[in-house]
Amino acid sequence: MTLLAGEFAPYGASHWGAVAVFAAGAAVLILLGRRLATEESRLRFSRGLALVLLVLHLPMQLYVLLPEQFGLGHSLPLQLSDLAWIAAVVALWTHARWALALTYYWNLTLTVQALATPALRGADFPDFGFLMFFSQHILEVWAAVFLIWGLRLRPDWWGYRLTLLVTAVWAVVMSVVNPLIGANYGFLSEKPPAGSLLDLMGGWPWYLFIGYALLNGAWALMTWPWAVITARSSRPVG
């Protein structure tokens, strides 16, 4: 595929710049989170981040719903990343167990994959579409990093099972919706054109089952260390 001048190219300067912003911001949020000494200050700062996430995401969602931008295949908030930012806002605001689980598992695997292999077609930085795509995905991962490593809230096996269930239900629903509206939300109908890890998992529908199985294993590995830490910390001394 030939790229036009000014068109976004994966692994170009703007892509690496976005990755650098993500890494630097994640480190800052971890340090800030660990400096918050009281539960009140932790919750206040966390809710501030939730408001930032909400204020930045709502205009983006409204933008793609404008008549000149609207398309059934990309404007509806049906991607897991759309659900992930909502879960992140709730997790930051409430520290609810279920929202923390969805934020952790979705954003540190699926959203990170979107950052690593962005399925973004259009103008490069500073185009609004570019800023919308990367700010949304970066903020979602930042939320998970802050909650888990900054505030040290711990995922558990209950959250692991919940996330697997919610993800499976979403996939089943979208597998029905996508053909009805001629869309490909979640890349459930076909793989992204830009290339991704799905290319290593065979053709449709096999890559869906293989991908879900890999998520099952990856999320289990992401749960196990925290479960061990929790068990050790609750073990009586002596």
Side-chain angles (χ1 to χ4, degrees):
M1 180 177 66
T2 302
L3 293 172
L4 301 175
E7 188 174 357
F8 172 76
Y11 313 112
S14 60
H15 186 189
W16 287 114
V19 171
V21 168
F22 158 71
V28 169
L29 285 172
I30 291 173
L31 292 174
L32 285 174
R34 293 186 177 184
R35 288 175 179 269
L36 300 172
T38 67
E39 186 60 34
E40 181 182 358
S41 64
R42 287 157 56 91
L43 189 58
R44 186 186 303 116
F45 189 88
S46 184
R47 287 182 172 179
L49 287 179
L51 290 176
V52 170
L53 200 60
L54 186 64
V55 168
L56 288 178
H57 276 61
L58 280 181
M60 295 175 187
Q61 187 60 59
L62 294 175
Y63 172 77
V64 297
L65 292 174
L66 293 174
E68 61 271 20
Q69 301 294 332
F70 183 80
L72 283 176
H74 64 268
S75 296
L76 301 178
L78 299 176
Q79 299 279 22
L80 266 184
S81 60
D82 297 313
L83 303 181
W85 80 259
I86 295 172
V89 169
V90 176
L92 288 167
W93 190 268
T94 67
H95 297 175
R97 191 180 174 193
W98 66 268
L100 175 70
L102 297 179
T103 300
Y104 175 63
Y105 295 109
W106 281 348
N107 287 314
L108 292 185
T109 51
L110 303 175
T111 308
V112 165
Q113 161 72 3
L115 286 174
T117 57
L120 176 62
R121 288 178 289 180
D124 205 344
F125 176 86
D127 181 72
F128 184 79
F130 174 95
L131 296 174
M132 179 175 68
F133 179 89
F134 280 102
S135 63
Q136 177 178 356
H137 290 84
I138 286 173
L139 284 166
E140 289 169 11
V141 182
W142 277 354
V145 169
F146 173 74
L147 289 166
I148 302 301
W149 284 276
L151 299 187
R152 298 179 180 177
L153 302 178
R154 296 171 181 169
D156 55 28
W157 291 112
W158 177 88
Y160 163 77
R161 292 189 293 270
L162 173 74
T163 306
L164 284 175
L165 176 61
V166 173
T167 304
V169 170
W170 168 83
V172 169
V173 171
M174 292 314 304
S175 294
V176 175
V177 172
N178 274 338
L180 292 177
I181 64 175
N184 187 28
Y185 288 102
F187 303 115
L188 297 176
S189 300
E190 60 180 321
K191 301 173 190 177
S196 70
L197 292 177
L198 297 178
D199 293 333
L200 305 176
M201 302 178 193
W204 187 92
W206 304 111
Y207 73 84
L208 300 177
F209 298 110
I210 294 173
Y212 187 75
L214 289 175
L215 281 178
N216 192 317
W219 290 346
L221 290 174
M222 290 167 61
T223 309
W224 173 72
W226 300 110
V228 171
I229 291 172
T230 300
R232 287 178 178 175
S233 63
S234 61
R235 188 178 302 164
V237 178

